[in-house]
Amino acid sequence: MSDDSTQYTELDADSKVFVGRWNRLISTTNWTKGQIILEWREALVSAGVPQQEHSDEAWASRVGGVTGQHVGRLRRVVSRFGAVYEQYDGLYWSHFQAVLDWDDAEMWLEGAAQNSWSVVGMKKNRQETL
Protein backbone atom coordinates (compact mmCIF):
# COMPACT_ATOMS: atom_id res chain seq x y z
CA MET A 1 0.00 0.00 0.00
CA SER A 2 2.86 2.34 0.76
CA ASP A 3 4.30 1.82 -2.73
CA ASP A 4 0.96 2.79 -4.29
CA SER A 5 0.76 5.88 -2.12
CA THR A 6 4.28 6.94 -3.10
CA GLN A 7 3.53 6.26 -6.75
CA TYR A 8 0.39 8.44 -6.66
CA THR A 9 2.19 11.23 -4.82
CA GLU A 10 4.91 11.25 -7.48
CA LEU A 11 2.32 11.11 -10.25
CA ASP A 12 0.44 14.03 -8.69
CA ALA A 13 3.63 16.08 -8.41
CA ASP A 14 4.57 15.29 -12.02
CA SER A 15 1.08 16.19 -13.20
CA LYS A 16 1.05 19.64 -11.55
CA VAL A 17 3.25 21.07 -14.29
CA PHE A 18 0.81 19.93 -16.95
CA VAL A 19 -2.24 21.01 -14.99
CA GLY A 20 -0.68 24.46 -14.55
CA ARG A 21 -0.03 24.71 -18.29
CA TRP A 22 -3.65 23.68 -18.96
CA ASN A 23 -5.04 26.26 -16.53
CA ARG A 24 -2.91 29.04 -18.05
CA LEU A 25 -4.13 28.06 -21.54
CA ILE A 26 -7.76 28.10 -20.43
CA SER A 27 -7.26 31.43 -18.70
CA THR A 28 -5.65 33.03 -21.75
CA THR A 29 -8.26 31.62 -24.11
CA ASN A 30 -11.20 32.64 -21.92
CA TRP A 31 -9.96 36.22 -21.56
CA THR A 32 -9.62 36.48 -25.34
CA LYS A 33 -13.01 34.89 -26.02
CA GLY A 34 -14.72 37.14 -23.49
CA GLN A 35 -13.10 40.23 -25.01
CA ILE A 36 -14.30 39.25 -28.49
CA ILE A 37 -17.85 38.71 -27.22
CA LEU A 38 -17.82 42.01 -25.33
CA GLU A 39 -16.56 43.96 -28.36
CA TRP A 40 -19.12 42.26 -30.65
CA ARG A 41 -21.93 43.11 -28.28
CA GLU A 42 -20.81 46.73 -27.83
CA ALA A 43 -20.61 47.18 -31.62
CA LEU A 44 -24.16 45.90 -32.10
CA VAL A 45 -25.52 47.97 -29.22
CA SER A 46 -23.85 51.07 -30.72
CA ALA A 47 -25.43 50.26 -34.05
CA GLY A 48 -28.87 50.16 -32.44
CA VAL A 49 -29.45 46.47 -33.14
CA PRO A 50 -32.35 44.92 -31.17
CA GLN A 51 -31.35 43.20 -27.91
CA GLN A 52 -32.24 39.70 -29.06
CA GLU A 53 -29.66 40.05 -31.85
CA HIS A 54 -26.79 40.74 -29.42
CA SER A 55 -27.81 38.46 -26.57
CA ASP A 56 -25.56 35.78 -25.16
CA GLU A 57 -27.76 33.17 -26.81
CA ALA A 58 -27.38 34.95 -30.17
CA TRP A 59 -23.59 34.68 -29.92
CA ALA A 60 -23.78 31.03 -28.84
CA SER A 61 -25.98 30.33 -31.82
CA ARG A 62 -23.58 32.11 -34.22
CA VAL A 63 -20.44 30.27 -33.10
CA GLY A 64 -21.88 26.93 -31.98
CA GLY A 65 -20.44 24.55 -29.43
CA VAL A 66 -21.07 26.85 -26.48
CA THR A 67 -24.10 27.68 -24.37
CA GLY A 68 -25.56 31.13 -23.89
CA GLN A 69 -24.86 30.71 -20.17
CA HIS A 70 -21.14 30.18 -20.81
CA VAL A 71 -21.04 33.12 -23.22
CA GLY A 72 -22.60 35.27 -20.51
CA ARG A 73 -19.95 34.20 -17.98
CA LEU A 74 -17.14 34.96 -20.44
CA ARG A 75 -18.58 38.39 -21.22
CA ARG A 76 -19.36 39.34 -17.63
CA VAL A 77 -15.95 38.33 -16.26
CA VAL A 78 -14.16 40.35 -18.94
CA SER A 79 -16.51 43.28 -18.44
CA ARG A 80 -15.81 43.39 -14.70
CA PHE A 81 -12.15 42.32 -14.49
CA GLY A 82 -10.70 42.67 -17.99
CA ALA A 83 -8.88 45.90 -17.22
CA VAL A 84 -7.34 44.65 -13.97
CA TYR A 85 -6.86 40.88 -14.07
CA GLU A 86 -3.17 41.13 -14.96
CA GLN A 87 -2.55 42.89 -11.63
CA TYR A 88 -3.26 39.61 -9.82
CA ASP A 89 -0.19 37.45 -10.47
CA GLY A 90 -0.71 33.72 -10.48
CA LEU A 91 -4.50 33.74 -10.66
CA TYR A 92 -6.48 31.89 -13.29
CA TRP A 93 -9.68 32.73 -15.10
CA SER A 94 -11.54 30.50 -12.66
CA HIS A 95 -10.56 32.75 -9.73
CA PHE A 96 -12.28 35.69 -11.41
CA GLN A 97 -15.31 33.68 -12.43
CA ALA A 98 -15.69 32.46 -8.84
CA VAL A 99 -15.81 36.00 -7.40
CA LEU A 100 -17.88 37.58 -10.16
CA ASP A 101 -20.87 38.30 -7.92
CA TRP A 102 -18.94 39.12 -4.73
CA ASP A 103 -19.03 42.74 -3.56
CA ASP A 104 -15.62 42.24 -1.95
CA ALA A 105 -14.08 40.39 -4.93
CA GLU A 106 -10.95 42.52 -5.22
CA MET A 107 -9.97 41.89 -1.61
CA TRP A 108 -10.22 38.11 -2.05
CA LEU A 109 -8.44 38.16 -5.40
CA GLU A 110 -5.59 40.06 -3.75
CA GLY A 111 -5.53 37.51 -0.94
CA ALA A 112 -5.45 34.67 -3.45
CA ALA A 113 -2.60 36.28 -5.37
CA GLN A 114 -0.53 37.00 -2.25
CA ASN A 115 -1.11 33.60 -0.65
CA SER A 116 -1.21 31.41 -3.79
CA TRP A 117 -4.70 30.21 -2.95
CA SER A 118 -6.52 27.91 -5.31
CA VAL A 119 -10.12 28.80 -6.14
CA VAL A 120 -11.28 26.35 -3.48
CA GLY A 121 -8.83 27.84 -0.97
CA MET A 122 -10.01 31.35 -1.74
CA LYS A 123 -13.67 30.38 -1.27
CA LYS A 124 -12.87 28.50 1.94
CA ASN A 125 -10.93 31.45 3.42
CA ARG A 126 -13.77 33.82 2.59
CA GLN A 127 -16.38 31.51 4.06
CA GLU A 128 -14.38 31.08 7.27
CA THR A 129 -13.87 34.83 7.55
CA LEU A 130 -17.49 35.75 6.92
Side-chain angles (χ1 to χ4, degrees):
M1 184 110 166
S2 174
D3 291 335
D4 286 344
S5 176
T6 302
Q7 181 182 7
Y8 288 121
T9 301
E10 290 171 5
L11 180 61
D12 187 47
D14 291 343
S15 295
K16 284 185 179 183
V17 172
F18 297 99
V19 171
R21 286 175 51 198
W22 174 262
N23 286 335
R24 281 187 295 281
L25 176 64
I26 290 171
S27 289
T28 302
T29 303
N30 282 343
W31 286 113
T32 302
K33 287 178 180 180
Q35 187 62 43
I36 291 167
I37 295 163
L38 187 62
E39 290 173 8
W40 167 79
R41 185 177 215 180
E42 289 171 351
L44 294 183
V45 168
S46 293
V49 173
Q51 193 278 329
Q52 69 269 15
E53 297 299 324
H54 59 78
S55 67
D56 297 330
E57 290 75 19
W59 179 262
S61 186
R62 288 178 189 274
V63 298
V66 65
T67 64
Q69 183 180 14
H70 185 62
V71 168
R73 279 192 301 267
L74 292 167
R75 178 185 49 76
R76 291 183 336 124
V77 170
V78 168
S79 180
R80 179 161 180 198
F81 300 112
V84 298
Y85 77 93
E86 291 177 327
Q87 297 172 12
Y88 299 97
D89 288 336
L91 300 189
Y92 299 119
W93 168 266
S94 52
H95 284 88
F96 296 90
Q97 181 181 326
V99 303
L100 184 59
D101 296 323
W102 295 0
D103 293 336
D104 55 356
E106 290 78 5
M107 179 177 74
W108 293 102
L109 290 169
E110 187 63 35
Q114 289 180 7
N115 297 292
S116 301
W117 292 335
S118 65
V119 173
V120 171
M122 179 179 64
K123 287 179 175 181
K124 182 180 175 193
N125 277 289
R126 183 176 187 259
Q127 183 179 25
E128 289 173 357
T129 300
L130 299 179

